[in-house]
Amino acid sequence: MPTTDLELRGMSCASCAARVERGLNELDGVRATVNFAVERAHVEHGPTVSARDLIRAVESAGYQASVSRDPAADDVPAAALPARLIGSAALAIPVVALSMVTGWQFPGWQWLVLALTTPIVAWAGYPFHRAALAGARHGASTMDTLVSLGTLAAYLWSAAAVLTGSGRLYFEVAAAVTVFLLAGRYAESRAKRAAGAALRALLRLGAKDAAVLRDGAEVRVPVAELHVGDVVVVRPGERVATDGVVVEGASALDTSALTGEPVPVDVGPGDDVLGGAVNTYGRVLVRAVKVGADTQLARMAKLVADAQNGRASVQRLADRVSAVFVPAVLAIAAATLAGWLLAGEPAAAFTAAVAVLIIACPCALGLATPTAILVGTGCGAQLGILIKDPQVLEAVHGIDTVVLDKTGTVTTGVMTVDAVEPAAGEDADTVLARAAAVESASEHPVAAAIVAAAANVGPVANFVNDPGTGVSGDVDGVTVSVVKAGQSDGRTSVEVIWGDRVRGVIRLVDAVKPTSAQAISQLRAMGIRPVLLTGDNAAVAHRVAAEVGIDPADVIAEVLPTDKADAVKSLQAQGLRVAMVGDGVNDSVALATADIGMAMGTGTDAAIEAGDLTLVRGDLRTVPTALRLSARTLQTIRTNLFWAFGYNVAAIPLAALGVLNPMIAGAAMACSSVLVVANSLRLRRFAR
């Protein structure tokens, strides 16, 4: 289904976002999600709905929209507030001082305060009044409606009192509340921008242009003009322009910003490299394998942006409340005014009604969830963890079992020589060298492991490959055969034969990743049960399990690829909440079946598409990190919502009872939004 991302303008609270979302979803075949924190809409729609139709729907709701050129690259808009804020603050200080300190009042001070307050309300408060009027034209009431009504009521009441020479003045309320709200919005916009910094940093990793070899000469071209097969020259200090394979040169690439791995990775001819990695030394030539939107960096940015545009289901309660909140507050303010008037307290009636209008703005509700998601997903991207959908954060709650695929997940997925056992009287180095010479002509994974282990690989003649048995060839004047001898103690064995005698046995293993045991230990410390699930034989599976610290009873071996999902279902049937970690095509169904699927970013596209989380590095330690980060993000969302709901539940009755001065109400309302965003920003300190 086609998708369009819209950049939105004019929203001031969650009720605005809900109104825009309703307007978009009223179009046939449209499914829209509006994110108030990033002021953006992500819209899925049919081919008959154009971007112009979507923009018109937003405008019909009373707001402005434009198509986002790159939804992942757009900065969080920063409101043009400083001039209004500074100007209104300078004018408000003498207004508040003269109004509150009777000893400073002089004959005619009321007229000076009226003159100072007028530009505050009319100019500094203009954004609130304009947005309230636009909403009223469309039959809507928003946060701006409350602010505009409250400040205008305080100003007009006071102006009338000055002109008539009687009545209490509330100029300090109109002035101070406007300043507090402008300050809150400015702090909020700065905080929201900081919340999206991780994604912007990720996108800045991409090179803007590249030096490409064309007809033997270097030509500098924009990255957008790169094609698969182009050979790119990468000098020290430059970023690799695209995903590819090193064809010449050697270096160490800094991939920390992409994968969270702090140690530069050594690369040479034949090694894969990622676009965005920094070349630390040496000149390397890289043949482009993936370009544009197909690169790992582009896919990471897309996943993070999609997650940040999405909505966790816990947000739905806040959305439902926000949709009816402003009309309810208007009703409460009217009831407050009427109640105090009936009690014979007209001054208290006005003060309490204005306080209700000002303190009840639902900004904090609208920011509680999206800001936490914004920071949490951005932090995850910096740690090499890509969260595909915000609802994954909620699914993490209660995970008590992590099922691990073996090959490529717990192990490297590459055969390596574990031991060379020479026969009596034979030299181990000679056995390995002659076996490597014969295997150098083979393309079998076992052959590659033996060749890689040998210090010297000599020439071979008369090479013969007997599928299913082994290989043979003439080395050092003798005929050497390398024959598979089966498996023992979880290792693959081959016999090396010449002169009609077995001269030695080479033991090979799919080596366990160096960090896997530490990852298992961390999972156990979190109270999570690790389970090894593999199609390999039981001996191999138990050897790997013993090496990393998984209990023998938690090993499920010799499982067909089609049965992996059934194994996950079996665990779920026991009442367990299961996370599955895998990297292969044969893991994709199990990843989709689990409560949470975690795909290793080093694995296949099918596995990555099926997973809820993508772990960019092949490091298993990112599994406990991802679980902790998700749990922390969800906890932050709940804390934010508790604060936002609690603030309004407690504050509105206090305001209605006349306990809160409107100035204090304005400061409290502004602070509530800033505190919610600041609490979300604490996630930036999350570490492994």
Side-chain angles (χ1 to χ4, degrees):
M1 180 178 285
T3 62
T4 300
D5 290 279
L6 299 177
E7 185 180 326
L8 304 173
R9 296 178 298 280
M11 296 193 305
S12 59
C13 64
S15 57
C16 297
R19 182 172 176 79
V20 172
E21 189 169 291
R22 282 197 304 272
L24 288 168
N25 285 325
E26 285 173 0
L27 297 175
D28 289 338
V30 168
R31 187 169 62 190
T33 302
V34 174
N35 189 317
F36 171 54
V38 296
E39 297 180 287
R40 188 177 298 124
H42 180 72
V43 188
E44 297 179 358
H45 55 87
T48 59
V49 178
S50 67
R52 186 60 225 163
D53 294 331
L54 299 175
I55 291 172
R56 274 197 292 265
V58 174
E59 291 173 345
S60 296
Y63 305 91
Q64 301 83 49
S66 58
V67 176
S68 177
R69 295 181 304 277
D70 184 349
D74 289 338
D75 282 356
V76 176
L81 294 173
R84 294 182 195 274
L85 174 59
I86 294 170
S88 62
L91 294 171
I93 290 172
V95 171
V96 174
L98 286 171
S99 300
M100 303 296 288
V101 184
T102 56
W104 291 356
Q105 295 171 358
F106 51 86
W109 70 273
Q110 302 95 325
W111 293 96
L112 175 60
V113 171
L114 171 62
L116 293 173
T117 306
T118 300
I120 296 175
V121 173
W123 169 66
Y126 175 70
F128 302 115
H129 309 316
R130 180 186 58 193
L133 183 59
R137 287 199 193 103
H138 294 85
S141 54
T142 67
M143 183 203 97
D144 293 304
T145 306
L146 304 181
V147 174
S148 180
L149 284 176
T151 55
L152 283 176
Y155 173 78
L156 293 174
W157 176 288
S158 303
V162 171
L163 293 173
T164 61
S166 63
R168 183 175 176 180
L169 304 183
Y170 294 96
F171 285 122
E172 77 279 8
V173 172
V177 166
T178 301
V179 172
F180 285 144
L181 296 184
L182 287 173
R185 282 203 177 178
Y186 180 63
E188 179 186 307
S189 68
R190 292 287 300 270
K192 287 195 293 186
R193 182 176 173 80
L199 178 56
R200 292 194 300 277
L202 183 66
L203 289 155
R204 282 196 292 269
L205 296 178
K208 301 297 182 288
D209 54 25
V212 181
L213 291 181
R214 299 262 170 89
D215 299 324
E218 288 188 26
V219 180
R220 202 107 200 148
V221 300
V223 169
E225 296 179 12
L226 286 176
H227 302 288
V228 173
D230 281 344
V231 176
V232 180
V233 181
V234 188
R235 292 183 172 81
E238 292 184 339
R239 292 191 182 277
V240 179
T242 189
D243 295 358
V245 177
V246 176
V247 294
E248 183 181 310
S251 182
L253 300 183
D254 180 357
T255 63
S256 57
L258 283 165
T259 66
E261 177 56 58
V263 180
V265 179
D266 292 326
V267 296
D271 289 332
D272 295 329
V273 296
L274 295 177
V278 178
N279 184 14
T280 59
Y281 73 89
R283 176 178 178 270
V284 293
L285 303 184
V286 176
R287 177 175 288 108
V289 174
K290 293 181 179 178
V291 297
D294 294 330
T295 64
Q296 174 106 324
L297 178 60
R299 291 170 66 191
M300 286 174 64
K302 181 67 166 59
L303 282 171
V304 176
D306 286 349
Q308 294 184 347
N309 281 333
R311 174 185 291 129
S313 58
V314 71
Q315 174 69 11
R316 292 170 191 159
L317 175 61
D319 290 344
R320 287 195 295 270
V321 171
S322 297
V324 298
F325 196 83
V326 175
V329 169
L330 292 173
I332 293 171
T336 299
L337 181 66
W340 281 101
L341 288 174
L342 290 173
E345 299 283 350
F350 179 81
T351 303
V354 170
V356 169
L357 289 173
I358 290 170
I359 202 164
C361 298
C363 291
L365 275 178
L367 293 168
T369 298
T371 53
I373 291 173
L374 195 66
V375 180
T377 52
C379 180
Q382 292 178 324
L383 295 172
I385 302 161
L386 303 182
I387 300 171
K388 187 175 290 186
D389 189 290
Q391 295 191 32
V392 172
L393 301 172
E394 294 159 294
V396 164
H397 182 66
I399 289 292
D400 51 25
T401 305
V402 172
V403 176
L404 304 161
D405 169 55
K406 180 183 73 69
T407 306
T409 301
V410 177
T411 66
T412 62
V414 178
M415 298 294 289
T416 58
V417 171
D418 185 54
V420 179
E421 301 171 359
E426 301 293 341
D427 178 66
D429 291 338
T430 302
V431 170
L432 180 60
R434 289 187 171 179
V438 175
E439 294 284 21
S440 64
S442 172
E443 297 180 353
H444 194 278
V446 168
I450 292 173
V451 171
N456 298 298
V457 180
V460 62
N462 302 320
F463 174 79
V464 176
N465 183 5
D466 185 4
T469 302
V471 294
S472 64
D474 295 339
V475 180
D476 299 334
V478 297
T479 300
V480 178
S481 299
V482 181
V483 179
K484 188 171 181 180
Q487 293 185 328
S488 60
D489 64 6
R491 298 184 295 178
T492 298
S493 302
V494 296
E495 295 178 342
V496 184
I497 303 168
W498 67 81
D500 296 326
R501 280 198 304 117
V502 175
R503 307 290 177 156
V505 177
I506 300 175
R507 313 284 187 188
L508 302 103
V509 294
D510 175 7
V512 170
K513 293 178 181 178
T515 57
S516 291
Q518 186 180 350
I520 300 302
S521 175
Q522 291 175 2
L523 288 173
R524 287 190 176 281
M526 294 167 63
I528 295 174
R529 169 190 174 192
V531 174
L532 187 66
L533 177 65
T534 179
D536 216 332
N537 68 61
V540 172
H542 282 283
R543 178 189 63 79
V544 171
E547 195 168 336
V548 299
I550 296 176
D551 293 339
D554 290 328
V555 175
I556 306 173
E558 300 179 17
V559 178
L560 295 174
T562 53
D563 295 335
K564 284 192 172 183
D566 292 336
V568 171
K569 289 177 184 177
S570 176
L571 292 168
Q572 291 171 324
Q574 299 171 30
L576 302 174
R577 287 186 53 79
V578 180
M580 170 73 192
V581 187
D583 73 326
V585 172
N586 61 347
D587 299 321
S588 57
V589 178
L591 287 168
T593 302
D595 296 287
I596 289 183
M598 298 185 177
M600 304 296 276
T602 51
T604 65
D605 288 348
I608 292 172
E609 287 299 319
D612 301 303
L613 293 170
T614 299
L615 310 176
V616 178
R617 302 204 311 271
D619 189 339
L620 203 60
R621 288 177 300 181
T622 52
V623 172
T625 300
L627 293 173
R628 285 198 301 268
L629 174 62
S630 298
R632 276 280 301 278
T633 304
L634 181 60
Q635 180 185 358
T636 300
I637 290 172
R638 288 174 170 168
T639 302
N640 286 350
L641 287 173
F642 175 81
W643 165 254
F645 277 119
Y647 160 81
N648 283 295
V649 168
I652 292 176
L654 291 176
L657 292 171
V659 176
L660 291 178
N661 178 284
M663 276 200 309
I664 298 173
M669 193 280 285
C671 288
S672 68
S673 297
V674 175
L675 286 173
V676 163
V677 180
N679 187 50
S680 297
L681 287 173
R682 292 172 61 233
L683 279 169
R684 297 171 71 186
R685 298 201 297 268
F686 179 87
R688 296 185 185 85

